[in-house]
Amino acid sequence: MSVILDDIRGRIGAENCCKSCSRDGCKVSLNNIPRNRVVVDADKAFEAHDCHGKRCDFILFALNGVGKLVAAPIELKSGGVNLSTVLEQLQIGAAFIEKFTPKGIGAICRPVLIHGGRIRSQDRRILNRGSIRFGGVGIKIKTTRCNRPGNLADALGISKA
């Protein structure tokens, strides 16, 4: 295991971490995600660290093939998607990532919406124009569908090293 990921797990607390990212009928595939990873259950971690506001469902920290830290706030929506809520949840997840990433480690943030229903075309345009702030930079939200093999790895653009 990586020293960076061990540090993150220690800061967040192993009791706030989990092995999977699936919930409420929305299955997330961790296939092709590097084994060097920490999956955080945001419900547990936010409560444990007294973080307020709407939270995303999970946060993933992983090392990509070149040893760079990739961190992803992940929101799952098995049904309809309310974009203003999703944007807020992912933004608060990105702030959590900044808080728990060790100083001096340049993390790559990849916010992800994994959904089961259709996203209306006008909402898709808003989503494509919208972004999450991380490290003073706007980052586009990646989307993928629930229950697809390799859905998270495809959205993140990372795979096993």
Side-chain angles (χ1 to χ4, degrees), residues 12 25 34 48 68 74 80 133 155 157:
I12 293 171
K68 189 80 172 162
I74 301 168
R133 303 291 297 168

Side-chain angles (χ1 to χ4, degrees), residues 46-157:
F46 278 50
E47 187 174 315
H49 294 282
D50 202 28
C51 298
H52 303 285
K54 296 184 188 242
R55 61 191 81 163
C56 57
D57 291 304
F58 297 96
I59 297 172
L60 171 78
F61 293 92
L63 295 177
N64 66 12
V66 294
K68 189 80 172 162
L69 181 65
V70 176
I74 301 168
E75 180 57 28
L76 308 179
K77 296 292 183 195
S78 56
V81 175
N82 177 334
L83 283 185
S84 62
T85 301
V86 168
L87 291 170
E88 184 180 354
Q89 289 169 306
L90 292 173
Q91 184 60 65
I92 291 172
F96 185 89
I97 290 167
E98 285 189 292
K99 180 178 178 179
F100 287 95
T101 299
K103 301 292 182 233
I105 302 295
I108 300 167
C109 183
R110 298 261 197 269
V112 179
L113 167 62
I114 302 177
H115 60 94
R118 285 196 49 201
I119 297 177
R120 299 178 318 179
S121 59
Q122 64 264 34
D123 287 340
R124 173 76 56 196
R125 284 191 296 277
I126 292 167
L127 192 58
N128 288 336
R129 283 194 308 259
S131 64
I132 299 303
R133 303 291 297 168
F134 183 82
V137 177
I139 300 165
K140 296 291 182 198
I141 299 164
K142 303 291 186 180
T143 63
T144 189
R145 299 294 297 260
C146 296
N147 308 322
R148 284 194 177 157
N151 55 3
L152 186 56
D154 291 344
L156 293 176

Side-chain angles (χ1 to χ4, degrees), residues 3-17 38 49 100:
V3 173
I4 295 168
L5 294 175
D6 286 343
D7 182 40
I8 291 169
R9 185 179 289 103
R11 289 165 172 244
I12 293 171
E15 68 280 3
N16 300 314
C17 298
V38 174
H49 294 282
F100 287 95

